[in-house]
Structure formats: structure tokens, C-alpha cells
Amino acid sequence: MTPLLTEGKSKEDMIGNCKIDFTLFRDPCRPSVKKSVQLCQKAGVKVRMVTGDNLKTARAIALECGILSSDAPESSLIEGKVFRSLSDSEREEVAEKISVMGRSSPNDKLLLVQALRRKGHVVAVTGDGTNDAPALHEADIGLAMGIQGTEVAKESSDIIILDDNFASVVKVVRWGRSVYANIQKFIQFQLTVNVAALVINVVAAVSSGDVPLNAVQLLWVNLIMDTLGALALATEPPTDHLMHRPPVGRREPLITNIMWRNLLIQAIYQVTVLLVLNFDGKKILHLEHESKEHANRVKNTLIFNAFVLCQIFNEFNARKPEEVNIFRGLSKNYLFIGIVAITIILQAIIVEFLGKFAKTEKLSWQLWLVSIGIGFISWPLAILGKFIPVPETPVSRVFSRMFYRRRNQSKDLHFCIY
């Protein structure tokens, strides 16, 4: 008679006059593990378990942790000896389906990492033993345990988890995505500033021989304001929204189509408005009766002031490139608010009190309102722009395909000539 074993419960079987108790003992999972696995799965991160335990034991643990569902196919479970016996191409196909690997050796974990990386996946590996060192080193991100981990494992890893808790892996994903998103925000903001300033000065210089933004003003915009802007956008804390986004592929472009859309909308608006002020500013501002030098200085100062205020307003837009509500979470980011306030104060000092140094003219309160109005329009413009759909194919790939086709056409043409 074969006894039925139930985890954590005692079963009795009478064999003759003997009474035998069967109990299966195992270490329970931490309460936070199942929730952490669910968060990873929602974030598009597939969690796989590679263990030296028996496949049935590994399956039971994976079910409890949420790594494996009750209706999971048999192809998601595999033994290490079966996996290592496959060819390289077969491993690549099987590796994407595997959720649990039992009876595995350290080399099996390394083979799994190599197969997933060849398929283009970004792989993170956790481990604590000396035998895990090759897999930790081979992975894109190696996470070693700080308490139970050996020194060899720690040296081979990129990140050390000090509390040996799987929930810390979720924090790593969360903060990693936050850093990546903050870099994208700053790039969008920086490119908008540089594109607008470059086009305005080049067009003005070619058409009239005079530039509205002089060297000192550009120095303030690029070296000081952009530095403060980078600090403000780089300190944005991680949000729950980041964990609902799909992961970024290994070869995905840093500048997405959404960023190109936001960048072009703001740059076109700023260039259009400021070039109109540059060519017709005297007439619009009623400066025809002023001296030519004074009128030019007032007009150029207004262009400079409006340009800087456009960047300040656009800095709020850069916080949420994909969301309509750009003010969500703003009240918690005191550093961002402080940097924006400091930038406005410094801009007022440059315009009103550093005229000889920056070659600016004091502006009346009416012209200050005009500058603020020009900058404020970037907010509703950004909201409307986010309703414009963008193609899924990255712009860089479209241009690369066009270049590849042209190159092939030129090769065919040469072949016909010869």
C-alpha cells in the first residue's frame, strides 16, 4: 500500500500491527516572496527557479511562491540532466518556456543564462554559493546575497542584496527603471533646449546677420539652467506606474517615438513664436519710435526671457512624458520645486540687474506677463500633443531600413552598369 503524503499534515498507514507516521518537512517561503513574484510578473519580468531539489519538491515550492500556476504545462518544468543534454539551438527554444528546473547542477544555471541571452533577453541571476559565480558573472545583472553569500559570489555579482530577501529584487527593478526613465526625461528636456536655441540663432544669423541669444545668455541656458534641470529631473522618485510598463529590450532606442513627438511639438512652438518676435518684434511691441539700439535690446531681452521661461514650463512637461497629468506627485518632490524657484529667481536677477554682463534690458511688468504667457502655452500644447498617436516602430529603425534599401538599390544599379 502506497501512503498519500500531504505537505505539513500527518497521515497514518497501518501495516500489520505497526503504526507509521509520514510527515514531509520543508522550509516555508517568506510571506513577502509571493507578493514580490506577482509584482515582477506584472512588470513583465519572468521569474524562473533553478534548484538542486527534486522536481516534485521544486514544483510544490514554485506553486506556493506563485512562480508556477496550477495549470502550467509540463514544458515549463524540466530536469537539469535533460536540459544539458540538448543542443544549443534546442536549449534556446526550451529556455524561454522553462519556469522551474529541478535536479540542476551549477553548470545548468550557466547554460540557461547563456541560452536566454542568445535569444535577446536581459537576464538577472540571484545566487549565494561559490558554484553560482559563473552564472552571476555571465548574467547582465548578478545579484548576490549579502548574508549567506560567499565572497566569490559577491565578487562575481553586480549588486549585493544585504537582507537576503527576494523582495529587494523588486526594489532593484523599481529603481533601475526609475533611473532609466529619469535619463530619458532629461534627454528630452536637453534636446528641446538645444534644438530650439540652435534653430533660432542659425535662422536669425543667416537672415539678418544678428543673433537674438548672445554667448552669455546661451552659457546661462546650457551650463547653469540645464545643470539645474538635470538635477531636478534626475531626482524624480520611482512610482508605481513604472512597474506596470513593459521592460525595455536590449536593443531598444533610448529616445522613443513618444519623446520625439514631445520634443518636436515644443521645439516647433518655441522656434515659431521666438522667430516671429525676432523679425516683427519691434512692430508687435510698439518699439518703432524707440532708438534702434534700445529697441533691439528690449526685443532680444524679451526673446531671451521668453525662451528661458519656456524651458521652465517645459521642465514640468518632461516629468511625465507619457501622462496627461504632469503635476502628479509634484508636491512630494521638494528638490524639483526648489530648483525651479531658484532658476526663476536667477533669471529675474540676470534680466533686471545684470544688464551690462548679459547685455539685457530691464523689462516692464507687461513684458514679463508676455514672457510668462508664452511659456505657459507649452502646458496645454503638451497635453494636446499627448493625444497624437505615434507608430510602434522606432524612428531609428525606419531610417536604417530606408538607408539599407537605398544601399541595395545602388548595388543593383552598379551591377547593371557593369
Side-chain angles (χ1 to χ4, degrees):
M1 180 178 177
T2 303
L4 176 65
L5 303 183
T6 305
E7 295 174 3
K9 294 183 180 180
S10 177
K11 292 294 178 182
E12 299 180 355
D13 184 26
M14 299 300 296
I15 303 178
N17 295 324
C18 298
K19 182 180 179 181
I20 305 174
D21 292 336
F22 294 94
T23 306
L24 179 62
F25 294 98
R26 61 176 179 77
D27 294 330
C29 295
R30 294 186 181 183
S32 60
V33 172
K34 187 172 183 179
K35 183 179 179 181
S36 301
V37 171
Q38 291 175 348
L39 288 173
C40 286
Q41 291 171 346
K42 288 181 181 179
V45 179
K46 183 172 182 179
V47 182
R48 309 168 194 265
M49 186 174 72
V50 182
T51 176
D53 294 335
N54 182 278
L55 194 60
K56 293 183 179 179
T57 305
R59 184 179 185 276
I61 297 173
L63 285 171
E64 183 180 356
C65 296
I67 297 174
L68 204 64
S69 59
S70 57
D71 57 345
E74 291 296 325
S75 59
S76 60
L77 293 93
I78 195 171
E79 284 194 349
K81 63 179 181 180
V82 177
F83 183 73
R84 78 176 76 105
S85 65
L86 301 174
S87 62
D88 290 341
S89 59
E90 290 175 334
R91 280 198 210 104
E92 292 177 11
E93 296 300 324
V94 172
E96 294 186 318
K97 303 175 184 178
I98 294 175
S99 295
V100 176
M101 183 186 292
R103 291 295 186 190
S104 65
S105 66
N107 190 53
D108 295 333
K109 182 185 277 191
L110 177 61
L111 292 174
L112 178 61
V113 172
Q114 291 172 341
L116 290 171
R117 291 195 68 191
R118 284 196 299 268
K119 292 292 289 184
H121 294 281
V122 179
V123 185
V125 173
T126 61
D128 56 5
T130 303
N131 293 331
D132 295 324
L136 290 169
H137 180 74
E138 180 69 20
D140 295 285
I141 305 170
L143 300 103
M145 301 302 170
I147 299 175
Q148 297 182 354
T150 62
E151 291 300 322
V152 176
K154 294 177 184 178
E155 291 177 2
S156 302
S157 64
D158 303 295
I159 299 173
I160 298 176
I161 302 176
L162 298 178
D163 56 359
D164 284 15
N165 192 348
F166 185 78
S168 299
V169 176
V170 179
K171 295 180 181 178
V172 171
V173 176
R174 187 184 178 95
W175 276 99
R177 292 190 175 188
S178 178
V179 171
Y180 185 84
N182 289 344
I183 292 173
Q184 288 183 315
K185 294 173 187 177
F186 173 67
I187 289 175
Q188 176 184 310
F189 175 72
Q190 178 84 354
L191 286 177
T192 304
V193 176
N194 291 335
V195 168
L198 178 64
V199 173
I200 291 168
N201 268 10
V202 168
V203 172
V206 171
S207 59
S208 62
D210 187 22
V211 291
L213 301 174
N214 58 49
V216 175
Q217 294 168 357
L218 289 175
L219 182 67
W220 153 243
V221 170
N222 287 295
L223 295 183
I224 303 174
M225 184 179 172
D226 286 355
T227 303
L228 294 175
L231 184 61
L233 294 172
T235 54
E236 282 287 324
T239 60
D240 295 334
H241 175 70
L242 295 171
M243 297 302 291
H244 297 287
R245 294 168 56 179
V248 180
R250 186 190 302 276
R251 297 183 180 180
E252 291 295 319
L254 184 60
I255 305 177
T256 63
N257 289 351
I258 292 176
M259 294 170 62
W260 280 117
R261 179 196 62 191
N262 299 340
L263 186 157
L264 290 175
I265 288 173
Q266 294 297 326
I268 291 172
Y269 164 70
Q270 293 176 19
V271 169
T272 303
V273 172
L274 298 182
L275 283 180
V276 169
L277 285 177
N278 182 67
F279 294 118
D280 294 330
K282 294 180 183 179
K283 186 177 180 180
I284 296 172
L285 302 175
H286 305 290
L287 298 174
E288 298 94 336
H289 304 292
E290 300 287 340
S291 63
K292 184 178 180 181
E293 182 180 356
H294 180 264
N296 282 334
R297 290 194 65 167
V298 171
K299 179 197 69 174
N300 291 342
T301 302
L302 177 64
I303 293 173
F304 166 61
N305 199 42
F307 179 72
V308 171
L309 289 176
C310 279
Q311 312 317 319
I312 293 174
F313 280 93
N314 190 39
E315 201 167 344
F316 289 86
N317 295 329
R319 290 185 66 247
K320 306 292 181 182
E322 302 177 8
E323 299 180 36
V324 175
N325 185 9
I326 60 175
F327 303 106
R328 189 167 61 86
L330 181 63
S331 59
K332 299 179 182 179
N333 195 342
Y334 300 107
L335 184 59
F336 183 92
I337 298 173
I339 288 175
V340 170
I342 291 172
T343 306
I344 294 173
I345 293 172
L346 291 175
Q347 175 65 17
I349 292 173
I350 290 174
V351 172
E352 298 296 326
F353 302 105
L354 299 178
K356 291 183 178 180
F357 174 72
K359 296 182 181 179
T360 57
E361 193 74 22
K362 290 185 178 181
L363 298 178
S364 62
W365 64 270
Q366 293 94 339
L367 293 181
W368 270 98
L369 288 178
V370 171
S371 302
I372 294 172
I374 293 172
F376 177 80
I377 293 175
S378 65
W379 281 354
L381 199 63
I383 293 174
L384 293 175
K386 288 172 184 176
F387 291 99
I388 300 175
V390 296
E392 295 183 359
T393 305
V395 176
S396 58
R397 292 182 185 175
V398 174
F399 283 109
S400 63
R401 289 175 184 174
M402 292 173 60
F403 176 76
Y404 180 75
R405 288 175 184 172
R406 289 182 179 179
R407 187 175 63 178
N408 287 344
Q409 290 174 359
S410 64
K411 287 181 179 179
D412 294 340
L413 179 62
H414 286 297
F415 176 77
C416 292
I417 291 173
Y418 288 113

